[in-house]
Amino acid sequence: MRAIVLGGSRGMGKAISESLRSIKIDVFAASKDDIDTSNLDSVKKFVQNHNQTDILVLNTGGPEAKEFANITEDDWKKYHNQLFLGFCMILQNIKINDGGYIFLISSSVIKEPNKKLIISSAYRAAFSEVFKILSKDYAAKNISCINIAPGPINTDRTKELIENIDEYKKSLPMKRLGEPEEIGNFVKAIIENKIKYLSGVVINFDGANSNYIF
């Protein structure tokens, strides 16, 4: 089997890539040098060279924390492409082989919007709607679509957003951040165990931190 993992050179993407390689999957771990989803020309070039796979992991970084009043027109345009349109173009142009998997790494903000992450909250939620609708079409080809919505994970991104990590950990139910490897192992377990009926779902991966049920 072959896999394409976007954002595969660091954080959660790297952990997923390493987990898949451990079960002998041929992984292309794409870095920002390979594809920048905020740049549609970069996306078009990428899908010309990588137009078919068994497993696709849609994963990208998010915008800096900004209050609504401080968000610029360029911010909206950049992250519209990076978090929404770029992913749509990828799904339109990369063929997933029958029986394959698509994993979307979104965020807990799709269910519990964050005032300082309003761009991420808006565009990740919008693409999650598209992903849910498409999951029904992919199901006809036995392709599973799983939206993983991480909460606080031990990545550079989290360290950028939170001023005092040690104090923040104390406020969490498990008193710790999630580890990228836990998400990597989850993705690996789904594939290794051929779990196919789990599709069209959002998995809250947040250590009991969220307050919502659905």
Side-chain angles (χ1 to χ4, degrees), residues 123-140:
Y123 286 125
R124 290 191 191 277
F127 185 74
S128 292
E129 293 281 350
V130 173
F131 195 59
K132 173 65 175 178
I133 292 167
L134 293 180
S135 69
K136 297 181 184 298
D137 294 331
Y138 282 115

Side-chain angles (χ1 to χ4, degrees), residues 51-70:
N51 57 14
Q52 187 169 350
T53 190
D54 300 295
I55 301 160
L56 176 63
V57 180
L58 297 168
N59 172 52
T60 187
E64 62 180 294
K66 278 191 176 185
E67 297 287 347
F68 180 74
N70 299 326

Side-chain angles (χ1 to χ4, degrees), residues 30-49:
S31 69
K32 196 167 184 178
D33 291 335
D34 298 304
I35 179 172
D36 176 0
T37 56
S38 70
N39 182 332
L40 300 186
D41 288 333
S42 173
V43 174
K44 290 172 185 175
K45 182 179 178 182
F46 184 84
V47 298
Q48 284 177 346
N49 297 323

Side-chain angles (χ1 to χ4, degrees), residues 29 52 88 115 118 140 156 172 179 191:
Q52 187 169 350
C88 289
K115 182 179 179 182
I118 192 167
D156 293 338
L172 299 175
E179 293 299 329
I191 296 167

Side-chain angles (χ1 to χ4, degrees), residues 1 19-26:
M1 295 182 78
S19 288
L20 296 184
R21 288 189 179 117
S22 75
I23 53 173
K24 310 304 180 187
I25 290 173
D26 179 16

